[in-house]
Amino acid sequence: MSAAASAIDARAPRCCANPDPQLAFPDACGPAARWPLVRCRRCSLVYVRDPRSIADLDAAQQNAYGAPTQRFGAVLESAVRAFRAARARLVQRLVPRGARVLDVGCGRGLFLRLLRERGYLVRGTELSEATRKNAYPDVPIDAGELTRASYPAGSFDLISIWHVLEHVRDPHATLDAAHQALAPNGVLLLAVPNFASWQARFGGERWFHLDLPRHLWQFTPTTLRALLEQHGFRVELMRTGQWEMDPFGWVQTALNRAGFRPNALYDTLRSNPADKADLSLPYRLLQLLLFPLLLGPAFALALLARCTGRAGTVIAVARRSP
Ligand SMILES: [Zn+2]
């Protein structure tokens, strides 16, 4: 085995101290291949059994979230902006103006820009070089994943890890680094897809948020809480449901289940041509035609799931224990 290969093995996913993985979803599908998922009998975490090599994985993440400054067309971009503003208002309720905020996996930095306009001191991390190049130039963004070496202890009052923890190679290391980088009593703001949701159950191996091979980990409110407590956080709020994600998640999951190419609508809506290169124009038009037809029932299901705590995403607010 080469030195490079053994380095990859050393960083292979490890869910807990004594992993006991059992094949749970053998036929989970990405656009072009199957990515079997396992569930650990000890810690209950669900994860991709054979993640790609580190180099391939970085390429996949960069292709997915990289190139364009605008990820979607103009109409959807204004919706994205409204959702980022809503997240900024959530931060305003948690920490006062002037607080130091880090956004892990900040993309092009729109959320941080909105926070800075509201008087916060902001910083981001972003893995993708292409995204960093196209980011807002007035937002400071550091390269790479968050590690213990990234920032001096206690550098931030709030760290946001928003739909990023499911992508990282080692969620334990990321939460450990966040704990170290937060000031005592600092706030961690987290969002991930909810594997215990109705949507996940309905979609099974074709659920939108499996997003294979990019999502390496799947969490539930129970496993997320356990993980946070294990890393020295006190959970103050945990709820399910996000309007930004849930209705669309229902639509895309229904289309996936109907037999369309996984996440074809999502890729059609994105502005990166590489995402939809395998989809013909009529195929894409059909996706766009079905989208508004399914959106009404999807909103109803999203509302019902949210009321019962079974919506497709989980949001957690946790505080660093002193
Ligand atoms: Zn485990």
Side-chain angles (χ1 to χ4, degrees):
M1 190 186 283
S2 72
S6 58
I8 288 165
D9 288 347
R11 297 186 65 185
R14 195 167 173 83
C15 53
C16 58
N18 298 296
D20 186 7
Q22 188 179 29
L23 192 59
F25 294 90
D27 294 320
C29 292
R34 288 178 205 287
W35 299 92
L37 296 176
V38 292
R39 188 197 304 266
C40 174
R41 275 183 280 210
R42 284 191 216 281
C43 68
S44 300
L45 278 177
V46 173
Y47 50 100
V48 176
R49 187 186 62 185
D50 313 304
R52 295 188 193 185
S53 74
I54 300 306
D56 282 0
L57 196 61
D58 282 347
Q61 311 267 21
Q62 300 209 0
N63 279 341
Y65 306 107
T69 305
Q70 288 210 163
R71 271 174 63 194
F72 302 98
V75 177
L76 284 183
E77 274 298 317
S78 51
V80 167
R81 199 181 166 84
F83 288 124
R84 296 292 172 277
R87 189 168 17 132
R89 287 194 294 275
L90 177 58
V91 169
Q92 285 179 290
R93 292 201 289 273
L94 294 167
V95 287
R97 272 172 75 94
R100 302 158 298 168
V101 175
L102 176 73
D103 188 24
V104 176
C106 66
R108 58 197 144 117
L110 176 57
F111 164 64
L112 290 174
R113 197 163 199 245
L114 295 172
L115 275 180
R116 216 191 42 191
E117 286 167 9
R118 290 161 164 81
Y120 290 87
L121 301 170
V122 301
R123 190 146 207 111
T125 70
E126 175 53 51
L127 204 57
S128 161
E129 192 187 341
T131 301
R132 287 197 310 276
K133 266 190 203 148
N134 287 290
Y136 294 102
D138 50 352
V139 174
I141 299 178
D142 301 312
E145 288 194 349
L146 176 67
T147 69
R148 283 183 76 90
S150 303
Y151 304 102
S155 294
F156 301 101
D157 304 301
L158 182 143
I159 296 181
S160 160
I161 307 181
W162 200 258
H163 287 279
V164 167
L165 199 65
E166 64 272 30
H167 292 268
V168 302
R169 284 182 282 268
D170 186 348
H172 291 287
T174 300
L175 290 179
D176 183 52
H179 189 273
Q180 187 249 0
L182 272 175
N185 241 13
V187 177
L188 180 66
L189 184 57
L190 258 176
V192 290
N194 178 11
F195 197 70
S197 60
W198 288 351
Q199 208 181 90
R201 187 157 298 186
F202 168 69
E205 288 165 330
R206 291 186 155 249
W207 180 37
F208 167 55
H209 284 297
L210 288 189
D211 196 10
L212 294 161
R214 295 182 287 255
H215 288 186
L216 300 179
W217 302 88
Q218 292 291 342
F219 306 97
T220 67
T222 309
T223 58
L224 187 64
R225 181 182 289 273
L227 203 61
L228 288 168
E229 288 174 354
Q230 190 186 336
H231 287 280
F233 291 99
R234 197 174 66 246
V235 177
E236 290 195 338
L237 177 146
M238 189 169 284
R239 63 171 170 82
T240 75
Q242 250 186 291
W243 293 114
E244 180 176 1
M245 301 273 176
D246 290 356
F248 183 84
W250 277 109
V251 171
Q252 184 62 79
T253 301
L255 291 172
N256 290 353
R257 280 211 47 168
F260 291 105
R261 192 279 251 157
N263 299 355
L265 171 62
Y266 183 63
D267 288 341
T268 298
L269 292 171
R270 285 145 58 102
S271 49
N272 186 357
D275 297 326
K276 45 199 169 194
D278 64 320
L279 304 171
S280 70
L281 185 61
Y283 199 94
R284 279 186 257 159
L285 287 174
L286 179 61
Q287 305 295 312
L288 293 176
L289 185 73
L290 291 169
F291 183 21
L293 297 177
L294 294 170
L295 208 49
F299 263 102
L301 282 166
L303 179 62
L304 204 61
R306 193 180 173 114
C307 294
T308 55
R310 290 279 180 173
T313 43
V314 193
I315 294 172
V317 175
R319 218 168 267 277
R320 178 198 196 277
S321 307

